[in-house]
Amino acid sequence: FIDAEYGSKGVLAHSINPGAVPTDMPINCGIYEEAKQYFIDTPELSANTILWLIRERREWLAGRYLDCNWDVEEVLQKKEEIVQGDKLKPKLVV
């Protein structure tokens, strides 16, 4: 919604999955013990991806979904495919 409302004003918005980081949230809500083998990512993983994302203005990624577990160099290599296919954009299907 931010991209749709403010993208024309120069605001870049992205949807990011930070990975499965063991924080207080899964621990306190009671799901951590049964799923802790999946919580293997570090805060640095998402920090590195976000730094890559904002290091330069990547207009072509505005309004798109990114997973911090993805190889950003591979995402760059697929830029044309992503843009031409209008991929990685969350869409409402009714």
Side-chain angles (χ1 to χ4, degrees):
F1 291 110
I2 292 172
D3 182 62
E5 291 289 323
Y6 301 103
S8 64
K9 296 179 171 114
V11 175
L12 294 182
H14 311 280
S15 177
I16 298 177
N17 174 9
V21 180
T23 64
D24 289 344
M25 189 167 59
I27 293 168
N28 291 339
C29 74
I31 66 165
Y32 183 72
E33 283 307 314
E34 62 192 54
K36 69 180 169 184
Q37 75 256 18
Y38 302 112
F39 289 89
I40 59 171
D41 297 321
T42 65
E44 291 81 10
L45 174 68
S46 56
N48 289 335
T49 302
I50 292 167
L51 285 173
W52 172 83
L53 186 60
I54 65 170
R55 187 174 303 137
E56 64 183 70
R57 256 183 104 75
R58 300 179 197 278
E59 303 275 344
W60 64 277
L61 282 174
R64 298 185 195 279
Y65 169 86
L66 289 168
D67 190 308
C68 290
N69 283 292
W70 293 347
D71 181 332
V72 293
E73 294 304 319
E74 189 175 332
V75 172
L76 279 175
Q77 290 173 2
K78 293 182 178 190
K79 176 181 175 180
E80 280 302 309
E81 178 185 343
I82 292 168
V83 172
Q84 294 296 327
D86 201 27
K87 296 180 176 181
L88 305 179
K89 286 194 173 180
K91 297 182 174 132
L92 178 63
V93 178
V94 288

